[in-house]
């Protein structure tokens, strides 16, 4: 193998595994279990309705606020909290098309990481000069997030378990070993586990090695409980959270922006924050910045004591394997297994629509891959299965911008690692609006945009070709072909 090739493939497999995230396609043909919980829930986390928020805006309503925030996911709600932390007198309204946490924030794996750069390896690649600052801010951000949930009584099943990356291909073992030293140079402590040790932690015949990252850089949460808790705290501070209020238009006017919501309601705001993530197609200028990529997950029935004992996993770490097309998996508070990842689907025209949340062929593939990893759980069923759109940028990190003469600020593009980073991004948005002298507004991650995606039909062609090449690399001991190496050199990627 060419030396550069080896290094690049090593970096990417470790990068994937340490973010969250196997599966050479030798499927075990278990029957796909039928959902048993009645009408499809948006996700396992959203199986119960949340507490009511403020009434939707009605036709003819005309309100005035200081700051209107579009989208009630983590980005929108953390922004409302950051703004009211700094200036409690602000009149802030959050406008949400559906319900709190309806988007990615209520559908994700609940892996909440310190990294602001989509993992250390991606940070080394894109922001080597800023990495010490970003690592420090990321760790502080995670600790502040934990402290905030405790201070405000947000019960979100938070667990500090550490994470375990798993090699399911022999070539990944040496890459894991090498990464321990490289990560240490950047202050990240990892412990290498050989095959026996990895299998002793979590009982599966697939593992060839593991990399354990002790608690301190990540937590597991129930993301919907966290998001709903943020909505509660925001409302206690006087922030209005209007669900079922879809914004259709922003229009510049003297002294601010007129926000038009469906059915003709308007809000006049001095400033607007757009926090609509992979659903941001409604604002045309954001289109080139991201591609919405569908990621899917399953949640099993609760394990019986015998099933639970059969898999080890005593330390309940968040787990991921190390391929480009990776799986992430974890235990829920009631000892179900959440198993997600692998497929990353982009639809022509970057379409996002409710009917794309269900994808039977992906669910079938995920189940088959699950039983390859855990054959002892044969017969386990997966009553919850869903998908959600991830806001992928070409460098996998959140991007910020301002438009309409500085009256509209946006933050999106976490590329599958936004549970923790969204809190940091909300602080950056607050700084743009209220503390323009803050040093972090000068960071390149904040003020330089990623390379844009091309328009259709080139967009879909590019995404599909890259996906195909990533799959090929996974089947070819991680070796990246010419196309991927060229894109790597240009700093462009596609991931979820
Ligand atoms: C299946 C899946 C698994 C993931 N796993 C992880 C993980 O384990 N760890 C991790 O860190 N990240 C993960 N992510 C990514 C993470 O969930 C996101 O980065 C994060 O939730 C983004 O939050 P957000 O508030 O920016 O966006 P969202 O939560 O998507 O919120 C956007 C909101 O805007 C609303 N909206 C859209 N358009 C309008 C409009 N016109 N008017 C009003 N409201 C509108 C939507 O209804 C939505 O509620 C995952 C994502 C998915 C989909």
């Amino acid at each position: 193998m060419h030396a550069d090739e080896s290094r690049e493939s090593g970096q990417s497999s470790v990068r994937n595994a340490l973010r969250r995230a196997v599966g050479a396609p030798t499927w075990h043909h278990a029957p796909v279990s039928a959902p048993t919980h009645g009408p499809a829930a948006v996700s396992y986390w959203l199986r119960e309705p949340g507490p009511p928020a403020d009434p939707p805006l009605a036709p003819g309503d005309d309100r005035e606020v200081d700051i209107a925030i579009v989208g009630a996911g983590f980005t929108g709600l953390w922004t409302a909290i950051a703004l009211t932390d700094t200036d409690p007198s602000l009149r802030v309204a959050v406008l949400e098309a559906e319900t709190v946490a309806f988007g990615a924030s209520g559908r994700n794996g609940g892996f909440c990481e310190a990294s602001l750069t989509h993992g250390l390896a991606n940070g080394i690649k894109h922001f080597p000069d800023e990495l010490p600052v970003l690592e420090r801010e990321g760790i502080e951000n995670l600790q502040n997030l934990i402290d905030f949930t405790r201070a405000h009584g947000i019960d979100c099943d938070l667990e500090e378990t550490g994470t375990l990356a798993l090699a399911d291909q022999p070539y990944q073992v040496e890459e894991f070993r090498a990464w321990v030293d490289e990560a240490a140079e950047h202050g990240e402590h990892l412990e290498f586990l050989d095959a026996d040790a990895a299998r002793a932690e979590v009982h599966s015949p697939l593992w060839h090695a593991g990399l354990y990252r002790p608690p301190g850089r990540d937590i597991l949460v129930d993301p919907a409980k966290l998001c709903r808790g943020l909505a509660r705290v925001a409302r206690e501070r006087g922030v209005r959270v209007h669900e079922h209020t879809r914004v259709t238009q922003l229009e510049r006017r003297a002294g601010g922006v007129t926000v038009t919501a469906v059915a003709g309601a308007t809000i006049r705001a001095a400033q607007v924050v757009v926090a609509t993530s992979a659903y941001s197609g409604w604002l045309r200028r954001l289109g080139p910045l991201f591609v919405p990529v569908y990621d899917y997950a399953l949640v099993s029935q609760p394990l019986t004591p015998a099933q639970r004992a059969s898999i080890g996993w005593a330390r309940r770490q968040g787990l991921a394997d190390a391929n480009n097309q990776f799986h992430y998996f974890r235990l829920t508070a009631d000892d179900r297994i959440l198993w997600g990842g692998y497929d990353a689907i982009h639809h022509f025209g970057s379409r996002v629509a409710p009917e794309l949340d269900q994808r039977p062929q992906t669910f079938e593939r995920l189940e088959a891959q699950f039983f390859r990893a855990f054959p002892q759980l044969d017969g386990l069923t997966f009553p919850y299965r869903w998908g959600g759109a991830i806001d992928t940028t070409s460098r996998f990190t959140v991007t910020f911008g301002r438009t309409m003469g500085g009256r509209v600020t946006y933050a999106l593009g976490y590329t599958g690692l936004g549970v923790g980073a969204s809190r940091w991004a909300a602080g950056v948005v607050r700084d743009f609006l209220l503390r323009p002298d803050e040093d972090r507004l000068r960071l390149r991650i904040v003020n330089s945009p990623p390379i844009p995606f091309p328009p259709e039909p080139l967009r879909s062609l590019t995404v599909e070709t890259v996906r195909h090449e990533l799959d090929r690399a996974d089947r070819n001991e991680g070796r990246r072909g010419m196309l991927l190496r060229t894109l790597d050199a240009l700093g462009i990627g596609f991931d979820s």
Side-chain angles (χ1 to χ4, degrees):
M1 191 191 300
H2 188 279
D4 285 341
E5 228 174 294
S6 142
R7 195 170 54 243
E8 187 53 54
S9 63
Q11 234 192 27
S12 72
S13 70
V14 171
R15 183 197 75 214
N16 288 327
L18 283 173
R19 299 186 323 236
R20 298 171 293 140
V22 163
T26 326
W27 319 133
H28 161 107
H29 291 286
V32 173
S33 49
T36 55
H37 55 83
V42 170
S43 74
Y44 166 70
W45 312 116
L46 295 173
R47 64 199 178 281
E48 305 288 347
D54 296 294
L57 292 187
D61 277 356
D62 183 15
R63 313 255 173 108
E64 190 171 341
V65 296
D66 297 309
I67 302 177
I69 299 173
V70 191
F74 288 131
T75 303
L77 292 166
W78 278 122
T79 300
I81 287 168
L83 288 167
T84 48
D85 265 347
T86 305
D87 182 352
S89 72
L90 283 174
R91 294 167 304 158
V92 179
V94 181
L95 310 173
E96 165 56 49
E98 304 286 344
T99 49
V100 166
F102 171 83
S105 298
R107 305 174 189 224
N108 59 73
F111 291 65
C112 180
E113 304 222 348
S115 177
L116 304 176
T117 58
H118 205 255
L120 181 59
N122 196 52
I124 295 171
K125 182 170 168 183
H126 288 287
F127 305 104
D129 47 328
E130 295 180 346
L131 199 55
V133 175
L134 294 175
E135 287 286 292
R136 196 183 60 238
E137 293 224 356
I139 290 171
E140 265 173 36
N141 177 60
L142 181 68
Q143 191 55 53
N144 290 339
L145 184 156
I146 297 171
D147 294 345
F148 187 92
T149 59
R150 294 189 175 141
H152 293 86
I154 299 177
D155 172 10
C156 55
D157 297 332
L158 192 156
E159 292 187 71
E160 296 182 73
T161 62
T163 54
L164 178 61
L166 294 156
D168 68 346
Q169 306 288 335
Y171 76 87
Q172 294 162 353
V173 175
E174 283 318 305
E175 293 172 355
F176 273 29
R177 270 190 221 280
W179 184 246
V180 171
D181 294 333
E182 196 170 342
E185 283 171 25
H186 295 277
E188 187 169 312
H189 172 71
L190 299 171
E191 293 165 21
F192 177 83
L193 308 185
D194 65 14
D196 288 345
R199 292 177 192 198
E201 283 287 340
V202 180
H203 306 339
S204 165
L206 292 189
W207 319 143
H208 296 277
L211 271 183
Y212 175 57
R213 183 168 62 196
R217 286 178 175 260
D218 42 64
I219 53 174
L220 294 174
V221 294
D222 175 328
K225 285 186 179 174
L226 174 57
C227 203
R228 287 169 172 171
L230 298 181
R232 170 181 56 80
V233 175
R235 293 185 67 226
E236 285 166 2
R237 294 170 172 204
V239 172
R240 307 297 297 267
V241 180
H242 300 285
E243 298 184 319
H244 305 293
T245 300
R246 180 179 298 278
V247 170
T248 52
Q249 200 184 343
L250 303 179
E251 217 175 338
R252 180 81 204 273
R253 61 169 176 84
V257 177
T258 301
V259 181
T260 306
V262 114
T266 54
I267 287 205
R268 284 166 292 120
Q271 292 281 344
V272 173
V273 176
V274 173
T276 51
S277 181
Y279 304 86
S280 295
W282 67 280
L283 207 59
R284 191 181 274 256
R285 66 168 287 134
L286 300 186
L289 286 179
F290 75 103
V291 285
V293 174
Y294 274 83
D295 187 61
Y296 298 89
L298 309 174
V299 165
S300 74
Q301 65 197 95
L303 302 182
T304 64
Q307 285 171 326
R308 182 71 188 81
S310 74
I311 51 173
W313 211 344
R315 293 202 267 178
R316 301 177 60 82
Q317 306 95 326
L319 306 181
D321 59 44
N323 297 290
N324 287 305
Q325 301 200 89
F326 60 90
H327 297 100
Y328 53 92
F329 40 119
R330 57 164 289 185
L331 292 161
T332 63
D334 58 352
D335 274 347
R336 302 166 186 262
I337 298 179
L338 179 150
W339 173 264
Y342 194 78
D343 274 348
I345 308 293
H346 172 256
H347 295 276
F348 190 86
S350 289
R351 197 158 77 90
V352 176
E355 61 271 23
L356 304 177
D357 293 348
Q358 294 290 315
R359 194 166 194 268
Q361 63 271 47
T362 292
F363 299 145
E364 194 171 336
R365 186 171 8 235
L366 280 172
E367 274 204 21
Q369 292 164 334
F370 176 85
F371 289 112
R372 263 184 74 224
F374 296 112
Q376 66 272 46
L377 295 179
D378 197 16
L380 189 69
T381 60
F382 293 90
Y384 296 93
R385 51 202 50 224
W386 70 90
I390 284 179
D391 49 348
T392 300
T393 62
S394 59
R395 70 179 181 209
F396 312 155
T397 55
V398 60
T399 184
F400 303 88
R402 309 194 78 186
T403 179
M404 294 198 181
R407 296 281 177 179
V408 174
T409 306
Y410 56 83
L412 82 169
Y414 309 96
T415 318
L417 210 60
V419 175
S422 53
R423 182 183 177 281
W424 180 79
V428 171
V429 170
R430 181 262 323 270
D431 292 349
F432 272 123
L433 269 54
L434 304 180
R435 309 196 310 195
D437 295 329
E438 284 296 304
D439 284 345
R440 62 181 171 180
L441 297 181
R442 251 62 70 199
L443 290 169
R444 214 156 40 78
I445 195 174
V446 170
N447 60 33
S448 79
I451 293 172
F453 289 97
E456 296 288 12
L458 199 54
R459 167 176 288 224
S460 287
L461 189 69
T462 311
V463 169
E464 266 321 294
T465 309
V466 172
R467 220 166 71 83
H468 175 79
E469 287 296 308
L470 289 170
D471 185 44
R472 210 160 66 110
D474 283 341
R475 293 160 193 252
N476 193 18
E477 304 204 325
R479 279 191 282 268
R480 294 163 86 81
M482 178 73 90
L483 174 69
L484 292 182
R485 282 184 282 133
T486 307
L487 293 176
D488 290 339
L490 292 170
I492 303 173
F494 168 75
D495 207 335
S496 59

